[in-house]
Amino acid sequence: MDFKKDYYGILGVPKSAKADEIKSAYRTLAKKYHPDLNPGNPDCEEFIKAINEAYEVLGNNDNRFVYDHYKTTEPAAEKAKAKEKPKPDTKNQRSYTKKVVVTTEAKIYVKGKIFIKYRGKQDNDETTDILKEVVYNLNITEVKATINAKDIYREDKVPQEYKAAFAGEKLEIRVPQPISVEVNYPSADSHYELEVFDLTITALTYDNVTKDDGDSYGSLKGEFYGYIKQITTHEEETIVTECYGETGRVERKTENGIKHHRREYFKNDCMTYWGNWIPEYVAAPVTPKTTVAQAGCLPSLVTIYHSAIILFFLTYFLSKLSLIIPFLIIAGLFWLLSARLWNWFFRGLGLLILVLFIVALIGAFNQPPPVAPVARDKPQEIKPRKTPIKNSKSDSLITYYRSWTDYDGKRYQGKYSVRESAFIDAKKYKNSLGDDANSKQGYDQLLYDLKENDKEKLAGLYQLLDSVKAKNNLSAEKFAECVVAMVQDIPYAVVLPKGCDPSLYADKFISHYLVSANARCDGYEKFGINTPVEFLATLNGDCDTRTLLLYTVLSHYDYDIALLSSEYYSHSIIGINLPFDGTAYTYQDKRYILWETTSLIKPGILPNEIANLDYWRISLKSKP
């Protein structure tokens, strides 16, 4: 047990809590933050460990006694310090205005005439005595109603007559809903299909009854009371305050002789949580024969083999030596010449140096102004490679039905198709590219090539998105949210250049993810990435696969979009030049709101673990 920890606070119970209260709080938290219900969320894994540790102490009477005794006898100053909770500084807070859709429901009470057509079949089981009345099982075939406008009242103005009808006896008759209703207004009548709640029918009479071969046909007339639900929606603006960043508190421990530390962070709701334990040592260098696994989503830099280093230096010095040899030969020839020829040689050499000096002086005065340094972000896309790909002779469609919701809960749905030939050609094209994607420039070139090869083969997806945009009349901001939410809704799958065996990878994230219960893996994919067409055809994609598809699609719709990469975080996100609130990457006086793509996260909200913008760079950008 760790006496520095507040186990009561972790379980959210008071110190006076009874054993059953502690057990109930533990079960509730364990169910909420269980890793199976929160796949891929390291925060939940850490919190589950804290919950289990707290319950092991407080759920055992002996352990709890020891813990409580120590906490009540420790120095008052230490106690006060332990109780201190970090308060977010203004630099750790951001506020923005959010529009919220508010739904209100009102009851509109009505009174009117109801007309019911029925067909009754004689129930021979109930009709056993000829002196008894014949029993029929009624089947309602049609229901109509009329309402006068003067008999419609709001909930706060219901007449006593209506209340008395609802309080009285009701006829046990099941009327199918909705009901075809004619509302008689002074100017004109209107027809509606309405669902009437708390339907109460009074003064019911039979009309036009016909009996034929054991069946009974006819109609019922009567008066009815009930209410109709009137649902309205409107937007309200509310100010949302969120917290982010570190609290400044650090914990330290030593395990197996190695020191560790972890930092405390603010959640969006200004609550706090502890990050992962980080060892305070420098990892040993990887030996030349060790394969370095990819960290997260971006490819690692390839280890330079000793043989390559030796070959490089040999080539370098031999090439330099080849430049020196001609001068040595010329010097040997001059050694054989007479002193007179030497005098003419130096005169000519002096004249040549004077001419070169004059030319250099003139060039210095006519030199153009210095060019501004090129940003490391690569503001424009680079030219693609040209690799011919042959199309398949036979073809078929790969079709998916997608249904997803945006951040306001609005649902979108529809089908898209990808040609099987396009899927095959995209994979062939990717496999035909050279193995030079391990540098920053090579990785950016790879992204551009894959995007250029696939961008004209996404017609099926564009048709779906065009119909969604037109049907819902979406603005530029809402349409961008709709497109990104569609990709975020697709389950995460890690894309790897080798197989899906965890033992093949030294990277902690990949090895832990592959052994998790709900792990999804797409192995043996060159460069550890799927092209936009491959992603749409298989729905297998991690961060760089998702960002590449979104960059391709949003570029097609003329958004000012950027694809950002981080070798430090081994991650990929997008940035978009739209008036959203939140964290933004500024480039050439433009704000590119950062957007995580692997889960349903709103624009501008960047997890603290990847929030240092100094480690991000622009790999692709759609507009200058």
Side-chain angles (χ1 to χ4, degrees), residues 452-485:
E452 284 294 296
N453 186 69
D454 284 14
K455 68 180 183 181
E456 302 299 332
K457 303 173 184 178
L458 309 178
L461 178 63
Y462 295 148
Q463 290 175 4
L464 167 61
L465 296 176
D466 289 340
S467 64
V468 168
K469 182 178 181 181
K471 181 179 179 181
N472 295 276
N473 192 24
L474 298 177
S475 64
E477 292 82 0
K478 285 296 182 183
F479 183 60
E481 289 184 351
C482 170
V483 174
V484 177

PDB file of all heavy atoms in Angstrom, residues 452-485:
ATOM      1  N   GLU A 452      -1.974  10.872 -54.979  1.00  0.00           N
ATOM      2  CA  GLU A 452      -2.145  11.185 -56.397  1.00  0.00           C
ATOM      3  C   GLU A 452      -2.647   9.970 -57.176  1.00  0.00           C
ATOM      4  O   GLU A 452      -3.472  10.098 -58.084  1.00  0.00           O
ATOM      5  CB  GLU A 452      -0.820  11.674 -56.984  1.00  0.00           C
ATOM      6  CG  GLU A 452      -0.475  13.097 -56.608  1.00  0.00           C
ATOM      7  CD  GLU A 452      -1.454  14.092 -57.197  1.00  0.00           C
ATOM      8  OE1 GLU A 452      -1.535  14.209 -58.432  1.00  0.00           O
ATOM      9  OE2 GLU A 452      -2.168  14.751 -56.418  1.00  0.00           O
ATOM     10  N   ASN A 453      -2.153   8.787 -56.832  1.00  0.00           N
ATOM     11  CA  ASN A 453      -2.566   7.579 -57.555  1.00  0.00           C
ATOM     12  C   ASN A 453      -4.023   7.212 -57.290  1.00  0.00           C
ATOM     13  O   ASN A 453      -4.691   6.634 -58.153  1.00  0.00           O
ATOM     14  CB  ASN A 453      -1.659   6.406 -57.159  1.00  0.00           C
ATOM     15  CG  ASN A 453      -1.932   5.159 -57.967  1.00  0.00           C
ATOM     16  OD1 ASN A 453      -1.645   5.108 -59.157  1.00  0.00           O
ATOM     17  ND2 ASN A 453      -2.490   4.138 -57.325  1.00  0.00           N
ATOM     18  N   ASP A 454      -4.548   7.543 -56.109  1.00  0.00           N
ATOM     19  CA  ASP A 454      -5.887   7.080 -55.708  1.00  0.00           C
ATOM     20  C   ASP A 454      -6.979   8.135 -55.826  1.00  0.00           C
ATOM     21  O   ASP A 454      -8.162   7.800 -55.774  1.00  0.00           O
ATOM     22  CB  ASP A 454      -5.858   6.588 -54.247  1.00  0.00           C
ATOM     23  CG  ASP A 454      -5.220   5.219 -54.123  1.00  0.00           C
ATOM     24  OD1 ASP A 454      -4.577   4.785 -55.087  1.00  0.00           O
ATOM     25  OD2 ASP A 454      -5.349   4.595 -53.063  1.00  0.00           O
ATOM     26  N   LYS A 455      -6.633   9.422 -55.932  1.00  0.00           N
ATOM     27  CA  LYS A 455      -7.636  10.471 -55.753  1.00  0.00           C
ATOM     28  C   LYS A 455      -8.748  10.438 -56.797  1.00  0.00           C
ATOM     29  O   LYS A 455      -9.863  10.893 -56.527  1.00  0.00           O
ATOM     30  CB  LYS A 455      -6.961  11.843 -55.748  1.00  0.00           C
ATOM     31  CG  LYS A 455      -6.363  12.280 -57.075  1.00  0.00           C
ATOM     32  CD  LYS A 455      -5.720  13.656 -56.943  1.00  0.00           C
ATOM     33  CE  LYS A 455      -5.174  14.147 -58.270  1.00  0.00           C
ATOM     34  NZ  LYS A 455      -4.537  15.481 -58.139  1.00  0.00           N
ATOM     35  N   GLU A 456      -8.471   9.913 -58.000  1.00  0.00           N
ATOM     36  CA  GLU A 456      -9.499   9.840 -59.042  1.00  0.00           C
ATOM     37  C   GLU A 456     -10.288   8.533 -58.999  1.00  0.00           C
ATOM     38  O   GLU A 456     -11.125   8.297 -59.866  1.00  0.00           O
ATOM     39  CB  GLU A 456      -8.853  10.001 -60.422  1.00  0.00           C
ATOM     40  CG  GLU A 456      -8.068  11.284 -60.616  1.00  0.00           C
ATOM     41  CD  GLU A 456      -8.948  12.526 -60.459  1.00  0.00           C
ATOM     42  OE1 GLU A 456     -10.163  12.429 -60.727  1.00  0.00           O
ATOM     43  OE2 GLU A 456      -8.429  13.583 -60.062  1.00  0.00           O
ATOM     44  N   LYS A 457     -10.028   7.683 -57.997  1.00  0.00           N
ATOM     45  CA  LYS A 457     -10.685   6.368 -57.928  1.00  0.00           C
ATOM     46  C   LYS A 457     -11.657   6.272 -56.757  1.00  0.00           C
ATOM     47  O   LYS A 457     -12.021   5.187 -56.340  1.00  0.00           O
ATOM     48  CB  LYS A 457      -9.619   5.271 -57.804  1.00  0.00           C
ATOM     49  CG  LYS A 457      -8.605   5.292 -58.945  1.00  0.00           C
ATOM     50  CD  LYS A 457      -7.479   4.304 -58.709  1.00  0.00           C
ATOM     51  CE  LYS A 457      -6.431   4.397 -59.804  1.00  0.00           C
ATOM     52  NZ  LYS A 457      -5.288   3.484 -59.573  1.00  0.00           N
ATOM     53  N   LEU A 458     -12.068   7.434 -56.217  1.00  0.00           N
ATOM     54  CA  LEU A 458     -12.955   7.453 -55.049  1.00  0.00           C
ATOM     55  C   LEU A 458     -14.337   7.974 -55.392  1.00  0.00           C
ATOM     56  O   LEU A 458     -15.023   8.560 -54.551  1.00  0.00           O
ATOM     57  CB  LEU A 458     -12.325   8.320 -53.941  1.00  0.00           C
ATOM     58  CG  LEU A 458     -10.873   8.017 -53.571  1.00  0.00           C
ATOM     59  CD1 LEU A 458     -10.395   8.982 -52.498  1.00  0.00           C
ATOM     60  CD2 LEU A 458     -10.747   6.584 -53.077  1.00  0.00           C
ATOM     61  N   ALA A 459     -14.757   7.770 -56.638  1.00  0.00           N
ATOM     62  CA  ALA A 459     -16.041   8.324 -57.082  1.00  0.00           C
ATOM     63  C   ALA A 459     -17.211   7.801 -56.245  1.00  0.00           C
ATOM     64  O   ALA A 459     -18.160   8.540 -55.960  1.00  0.00           O
ATOM     65  CB  ALA A 459     -16.270   7.993 -58.555  1.00  0.00           C
ATOM     66  N   GLY A 460     -17.155   6.529 -55.857  1.00  0.00           N
ATOM     67  CA  GLY A 460     -18.244   5.963 -55.059  1.00  0.00           C
ATOM     68  C   GLY A 460     -18.412   6.666 -53.732  1.00  0.00           C
ATOM     69  O   GLY A 460     -19.524   6.938 -53.275  1.00  0.00           O
ATOM     70  N   LEU A 461     -17.279   6.985 -53.069  1.00  0.00           N
ATOM     71  CA  LEU A 461     -17.346   7.695 -51.787  1.00  0.00           C
ATOM     72  C   LEU A 461     -17.823   9.132 -51.992  1.00  0.00           C
ATOM     73  O   LEU A 461     -18.619   9.641 -51.198  1.00  0.00           O
ATOM     74  CB  LEU A 461     -15.971   7.683 -51.126  1.00  0.00           C
ATOM     75  CG  LEU A 461     -15.878   8.437 -49.789  1.00  0.00           C
ATOM     76  CD1 LEU A 461     -16.787   7.797 -48.749  1.00  0.00           C
ATOM     77  CD2 LEU A 461     -14.439   8.479 -49.285  1.00  0.00           C
ATOM     78  N   TYR A 462     -17.339   9.790 -53.064  1.00  0.00           N
ATOM     79  CA  TYR A 462     -17.759  11.165 -53.322  1.00  0.00           C
ATOM     80  C   TYR A 462     -19.267  11.248 -53.573  1.00  0.00           C
ATOM     81  O   TYR A 462     -19.925  12.205 -53.161  1.00  0.00           O
ATOM     82  CB  TYR A 462     -16.995  11.727 -54.514  1.00  0.00           C
ATOM     83  CG  TYR A 462     -15.503  11.863 -54.292  1.00  0.00           C
ATOM     84  CD1 TYR A 462     -14.595  11.720 -55.334  1.00  0.00           C
ATOM     85  CD2 TYR A 462     -15.003  12.130 -53.019  1.00  0.00           C
ATOM     86  CE1 TYR A 462     -13.233  11.835 -55.129  1.00  0.00           C
ATOM     87  CE2 TYR A 462     -13.631  12.245 -52.801  1.00  0.00           C
ATOM     88  CZ  TYR A 462     -12.755  12.093 -53.866  1.00  0.00           C
ATOM     89  OH  TYR A 462     -11.413  12.207 -53.652  1.00  0.00           O
ATOM     90  N   GLN A 463     -19.834  10.249 -54.255  1.00  0.00           N
ATOM     91  CA  GLN A 463     -21.284  10.246 -54.492  1.00  0.00           C
ATOM     92  C   GLN A 463     -22.057  10.167 -53.182  1.00  0.00           C
ATOM     93  O   GLN A 463     -23.060  10.867 -52.984  1.00  0.00           O
ATOM     94  CB  GLN A 463     -21.657   9.075 -55.404  1.00  0.00           C
ATOM     95  CG  GLN A 463     -21.184   9.230 -56.845  1.00  0.00           C
ATOM     96  CD  GLN A 463     -21.462   7.995 -57.689  1.00  0.00           C
ATOM     97  OE1 GLN A 463     -22.079   7.036 -57.207  1.00  0.00           O
ATOM     98  NE2 GLN A 463     -21.010   8.006 -58.929  1.00  0.00           N
ATOM     99  N   LEU A 464     -21.586   9.319 -52.256  1.00  0.00           N
ATOM    100  CA  LEU A 464     -22.247   9.215 -50.952  1.00  0.00           C
ATOM    101  C   LEU A 464     -22.174  10.543 -50.207  1.00  0.00           C
ATOM    102  O   LEU A 464     -23.184  11.036 -49.686  1.00  0.00           O
ATOM    103  CB  LEU A 464     -21.588   8.107 -50.125  1.00  0.00           C
ATOM    104  CG  LEU A 464     -21.950   8.067 -48.628  1.00  0.00           C
ATOM    105  CD1 LEU A 464     -23.440   7.838 -48.446  1.00  0.00           C
ATOM    106  CD2 LEU A 464     -21.136   6.997 -47.906  1.00  0.00           C
ATOM    107  N   LEU A 465     -20.987  11.144 -50.144  1.00  0.00           N
ATOM    108  CA  LEU A 465     -20.821  12.391 -49.401  1.00  0.00           C
ATOM    109  C   LEU A 465     -21.585  13.541 -50.047  1.00  0.00           C
ATOM    110  O   LEU A 465     -22.137  14.398 -49.347  1.00  0.00           O
ATOM    111  CB  LEU A 465     -19.337  12.730 -49.282  1.00  0.00           C
ATOM    112  CG  LEU A 465     -18.499  11.727 -48.472  1.00  0.00           C
ATOM    113  CD1 LEU A 465     -17.029  12.114 -48.492  1.00  0.00           C
ATOM    114  CD2 LEU A 465     -19.002  11.632 -47.039  1.00  0.00           C
ATOM    115  N   ASP A 466     -21.637  13.576 -51.385  1.00  0.00           N
ATOM    116  CA  ASP A 466     -22.407  14.625 -52.065  1.00  0.00           C
ATOM    117  C   ASP A 466     -23.884  14.538 -51.711  1.00  0.00           C
ATOM    118  O   ASP A 466     -24.547  15.555 -51.464  1.00  0.00           O
ATOM    119  CB  ASP A 466     -22.230  14.522 -53.584  1.00  0.00           C
ATOM    120  CG  ASP A 466     -20.833  14.930 -54.023  1.00  0.00           C
ATOM    121  OD1 ASP A 466     -20.160  15.637 -53.251  1.00  0.00           O
ATOM    122  OD2 ASP A 466     -20.421  14.538 -55.131  1.00  0.00           O
ATOM    123  N   SER A 467     -24.420  13.315 -51.681  1.00  0.00           N
ATOM    124  CA  SER A 467     -25.841  13.145 -51.359  1.00  0.00           C
ATOM    125  C   SER A 467     -26.120  13.506 -49.909  1.00  0.00           C
ATOM    126  O   SER A 467     -27.144  14.123 -49.592  1.00  0.00           O
ATOM    127  CB  SER A 467     -26.263  11.697 -51.635  1.00  0.00           C
ATOM    128  OG  SER A 467     -25.580  10.795 -50.781  1.00  0.00           O
ATOM    129  N   VAL A 468     -25.201  13.144 -48.989  1.00  0.00           N
ATOM    130  CA  VAL A 468     -25.375  13.493 -47.574  1.00  0.00           C
ATOM    131  C   VAL A 468     -25.361  15.006 -47.388  1.00  0.00           C
ATOM    132  O   VAL A 468     -26.174  15.575 -46.657  1.00  0.00           O
ATOM    133  CB  VAL A 468     -24.275  12.825 -46.721  1.00  0.00           C
ATOM    134  CG1 VAL A 468     -24.250  13.408 -45.319  1.00  0.00           C
ATOM    135  CG2 VAL A 468     -24.494  11.330 -46.647  1.00  0.00           C
ATOM    136  N   LYS A 469     -24.433  15.665 -48.071  1.00  0.00           N
ATOM    137  CA  LYS A 469     -24.323  17.130 -47.942  1.00  0.00           C
ATOM    138  C   LYS A 469     -25.565  17.826 -48.475  1.00  0.00           C
ATOM    139  O   LYS A 469     -26.099  18.747 -47.857  1.00  0.00           O
ATOM    140  CB  LYS A 469     -23.082  17.614 -48.684  1.00  0.00           C
ATOM    141  CG  LYS A 469     -22.846  19.113 -48.572  1.00  0.00           C
ATOM    142  CD  LYS A 469     -21.578  19.531 -49.291  1.00  0.00           C
ATOM    143  CE  LYS A 469     -21.340  21.031 -49.138  1.00  0.00           C
ATOM    144  NZ  LYS A 469     -20.121  21.470 -49.862  1.00  0.00           N
ATOM    145  N   ALA A 470     -26.053  17.373 -49.641  1.00  0.00           N
ATOM    146  CA  ALA A 470     -27.238  18.009 -50.240  1.00  0.00           C
ATOM    147  C   ALA A 470     -28.493  17.728 -49.426  1.00  0.00           C
ATOM    148  O   ALA A 470     -29.320  18.624 -49.204  1.00  0.00           O
ATOM    149  CB  ALA A 470     -27.411  17.522 -51.678  1.00  0.00           C
ATOM    150  N   LYS A 471     -28.652  16.500 -48.963  1.00  0.00           N
ATOM    151  CA  LYS A 471     -29.849  16.125 -48.224  1.00  0.00           C
ATOM    152  C   LYS A 471     -29.969  16.884 -46.909  1.00  0.00           C
ATOM    153  O   LYS A 471     -31.055  17.278 -46.488  1.00  0.00           O
ATOM    154  CB  LYS A 471     -29.838  14.621 -47.955  1.00  0.00           C
ATOM    155  CG  LYS A 471     -31.060  14.120 -47.195  1.00  0.00           C
ATOM    156  CD  LYS A 471     -30.981  12.610 -46.986  1.00  0.00           C
ATOM    157  CE  LYS A 471     -32.185  12.105 -46.201  1.00  0.00           C
ATOM    158  NZ  LYS A 471     -32.101  10.627 -45.975  1.00  0.00           N
ATOM    159  N   ASN A 472     -28.836  17.116 -46.229  1.00  0.00           N
ATOM    160  CA  ASN A 472     -28.856  17.751 -44.916  1.00  0.00           C
ATOM    161  C   ASN A 472     -28.490  19.234 -44.959  1.00  0.00           C
ATOM    162  O   ASN A 472     -28.424  19.882 -43.911  1.00  0.00           O
ATOM    163  CB  ASN A 472     -27.893  17.015 -43.981  1.00  0.00           C
ATOM    164  CG  ASN A 472     -28.322  15.593 -43.709  1.00  0.00           C
ATOM    165  OD1 ASN A 472     -29.145  15.327 -42.845  1.00  0.00           O
ATOM    166  ND2 ASN A 472     -27.747  14.653 -44.456  1.00  0.00           N
ATOM    167  N   ASN A 473     -28.224  19.758 -46.175  1.00  0.00           N
ATOM    168  CA  ASN A 473     -27.909  21.179 -46.357  1.00  0.00           C
ATOM    169  C   ASN A 473     -26.800  21.606 -45.393  1.00  0.00           C
ATOM    170  O   ASN A 473     -26.941  22.550 -44.606  1.00  0.00           O
ATOM    171  CB  ASN A 473     -29.166  22.033 -46.139  1.00  0.00           C
ATOM    172  CG  ASN A 473     -28.973  23.470 -46.602  1.00  0.00           C
ATOM    173  OD1 ASN A 473     -28.130  23.747 -47.462  1.00  0.00           O
ATOM    174  ND2 ASN A 473     -29.732  24.381 -46.026  1.00  0.00           N
ATOM    175  N   LEU A 474     -25.656  20.925 -45.445  1.00  0.00           N
ATOM    176  CA  LEU A 474     -24.582  21.127 -44.483  1.00  0.00           C
ATOM    177  C   LEU A 474     -23.703  22.310 -44.879  1.00  0.00           C
ATOM    178  O   LEU A 474     -23.372  22.483 -46.066  1.00  0.00           O
ATOM    179  CB  LEU A 474     -23.720  19.873 -44.378  1.00  0.00           C
ATOM    180  CG  LEU A 474     -24.433  18.603 -43.892  1.00  0.00           C
ATOM    181  CD1 LEU A 474     -23.479  17.417 -43.906  1.00  0.00           C
ATOM    182  CD2 LEU A 474     -25.006  18.798 -42.501  1.00  0.00           C
ATOM    183  N   SER A 475     -23.301  23.095 -43.894  1.00  0.00           N
ATOM    184  CA  SER A 475     -22.338  24.161 -44.104  1.00  0.00           C
ATOM    185  C   SER A 475     -20.946  23.555 -44.263  1.00  0.00           C
ATOM    186  O   SER A 475     -20.752  22.349 -44.089  1.00  0.00           O
ATOM    187  CB  SER A 475     -22.361  25.134 -42.926  1.00  0.00           C
ATOM    188  OG  SER A 475     -21.949  24.471 -41.730  1.00  0.00           O
ATOM    189  N   ALA A 476     -19.964  24.415 -44.579  1.00  0.00           N
ATOM    190  CA  ALA A 476     -18.596  23.920 -44.756  1.00  0.00           C
ATOM    191  C   ALA A 476     -18.072  23.277 -43.480  1.00  0.00           C
ATOM    192  O   ALA A 476     -17.429  22.225 -43.517  1.00  0.00           O
ATOM    193  CB  ALA A 476     -17.682  25.072 -45.179  1.00  0.00           C
ATOM    194  N   GLU A 477     -18.364  23.900 -42.308  1.00  0.00           N
ATOM    195  CA  GLU A 477     -17.885  23.350 -41.041  1.00  0.00           C
ATOM    196  C   GLU A 477     -18.578  22.029 -40.714  1.00  0.00           C
ATOM    197  O   GLU A 477     -17.934  21.049 -40.331  1.00  0.00           O
ATOM    198  CB  GLU A 477     -18.115  24.351 -39.901  1.00  0.00           C
ATOM    199  CG  GLU A 477     -17.269  25.608 -39.984  1.00  0.00           C
ATOM    200  CD  GLU A 477     -17.862  26.651 -40.917  1.00  0.00           C
ATOM    201  OE1 GLU A 477     -18.943  26.391 -41.494  1.00  0.00           O
ATOM    202  OE2 GLU A 477     -17.242  27.718 -41.080  1.00  0.00           O
ATOM    203  N   LYS A 478     -19.912  21.991 -40.870  1.00  0.00           N
ATOM    204  CA  LYS A 478     -20.662  20.770 -40.551  1.00  0.00           C
ATOM    205  C   LYS A 478     -20.309  19.629 -41.505  1.00  0.00           C
ATOM    206  O   LYS A 478     -20.265  18.461 -41.104  1.00  0.00           O
ATOM    207  CB  LYS A 478     -22.167  21.051 -40.592  1.00  0.00           C
ATOM    208  CG  LYS A 478     -22.672  21.840 -39.397  1.00  0.00           C
ATOM    209  CD  LYS A 478     -22.484  21.052 -38.113  1.00  0.00           C
ATOM    210  CE  LYS A 478     -23.013  21.794 -36.910  1.00  0.00           C
ATOM    211  NZ  LYS A 478     -22.757  21.053 -35.655  1.00  0.00           N
ATOM    212  N   PHE A 479     -20.063  19.956 -42.786  1.00  0.00           N
ATOM    213  CA  PHE A 479     -19.710  18.902 -43.731  1.00  0.00           C
ATOM    214  C   PHE A 479     -18.337  18.321 -43.389  1.00  0.00           C
ATOM    215  O   PHE A 479     -18.123  17.105 -43.469  1.00  0.00           O
ATOM    216  CB  PHE A 479     -19.708  19.449 -45.155  1.00  0.00           C
ATOM    217  CG  PHE A 479     -19.417  18.406 -46.203  1.00  0.00           C
ATOM    218  CD1 PHE A 479     -20.242  17.308 -46.358  1.00  0.00           C
ATOM    219  CD2 PHE A 479     -18.306  18.524 -47.024  1.00  0.00           C
ATOM    220  CE1 PHE A 479     -19.972  16.347 -47.325  1.00  0.00           C
ATOM    221  CE2 PHE A 479     -18.030  17.571 -47.986  1.00  0.00           C
ATOM    222  CZ  PHE A 479     -18.864  16.479 -48.134  1.00  0.00           C
ATOM    223  N   ALA A 480     -17.397  19.187 -42.987  1.00  0.00           N
ATOM    224  CA  ALA A 480     -16.082  18.687 -42.569  1.00  0.00           C
ATOM    225  C   ALA A 480     -16.218  17.777 -41.357  1.00  0.00           C
ATOM    226  O   ALA A 480     -15.581  16.718 -41.280  1.00  0.00           O
ATOM    227  CB  ALA A 480     -15.147  19.863 -42.256  1.00  0.00           C
ATOM    228  N   GLU A 481     -17.058  18.166 -40.376  1.00  0.00           N
ATOM    229  CA  GLU A 481     -17.283  17.315 -39.210  1.00  0.00           C
ATOM    230  C   GLU A 481     -17.899  15.986 -39.627  1.00  0.00           C
ATOM    231  O   GLU A 481     -17.540  14.930 -39.099  1.00  0.00           O
ATOM    232  CB  GLU A 481     -18.200  18.023 -38.217  1.00  0.00           C
ATOM    233  CG  GLU A 481     -17.552  19.196 -37.494  1.00  0.00           C
ATOM    234  CD  GLU A 481     -18.462  19.806 -36.457  1.00  0.00           C
ATOM    235  OE1 GLU A 481     -19.660  19.423 -36.418  1.00  0.00           O
ATOM    236  OE2 GLU A 481     -18.004  20.665 -35.681  1.00  0.00           O
ATOM    237  N   CYS A 482     -18.838  16.032 -40.575  1.00  0.00           N
ATOM    238  CA  CYS A 482     -19.496  14.801 -41.041  1.00  0.00           C
ATOM    239  C   CYS A 482     -18.473  13.849 -41.667  1.00  0.00           C
ATOM    240  O   CYS A 482     -18.472  12.649 -41.386  1.00  0.00           O
ATOM    241  CB  CYS A 482     -20.591  15.166 -42.052  1.00  0.00           C
ATOM    242  SG  CYS A 482     -21.312  13.760 -42.924  1.00  0.00           S
ATOM    243  N   VAL A 483     -17.567  14.372 -42.520  1.00  0.00           N
ATOM    244  CA  VAL A 483     -16.587  13.533 -43.208  1.00  0.00           C
ATOM    245  C   VAL A 483     -15.595  12.930 -42.206  1.00  0.00           C
ATOM    246  O   VAL A 483     -15.319  11.732 -42.229  1.00  0.00           O
ATOM    247  CB  VAL A 483     -15.841  14.359 -44.274  1.00  0.00           C
ATOM    248  CG1 VAL A 483     -14.714  13.529 -44.895  1.00  0.00           C
ATOM    249  CG2 VAL A 483     -16.798  14.823 -45.360  1.00  0.00           C
ATOM    250  N   VAL A 484     -15.079  13.767 -41.288  1.00  0.00           N
ATOM    251  CA  VAL A 484     -14.092  13.260 -40.326  1.00  0.00           C
ATOM    252  C   VAL A 484     -14.736  12.256 -39.372  1.00  0.00           C
ATOM    253  O   VAL A 484     -14.141  11.229 -39.031  1.00  0.00           O
ATOM    254  CB  VAL A 484     -13.460  14.428 -39.546  1.00  0.00           C
ATOM    255  CG1 VAL A 484     -12.498  13.904 -38.490  1.00  0.00           C
ATOM    256  CG2 VAL A 484     -12.727  15.364 -40.499  1.00  0.00           C
ATOM    257  N   ALA A 485     -15.977  12.542 -38.926  1.00  0.00           N
ATOM    258  CA  ALA A 485     -16.663  11.618 -38.018  1.00  0.00           C
ATOM    259  C   ALA A 485     -16.890  10.259 -38.686  1.00  0.00           C
ATOM    260  O   ALA A 485     -16.862   9.222 -38.023  1.00  0.00           O
ATOM    261  CB  ALA A 485     -17.997  12.217 -37.563  1.00  0.00           C
TER     262      ALA A 485
END
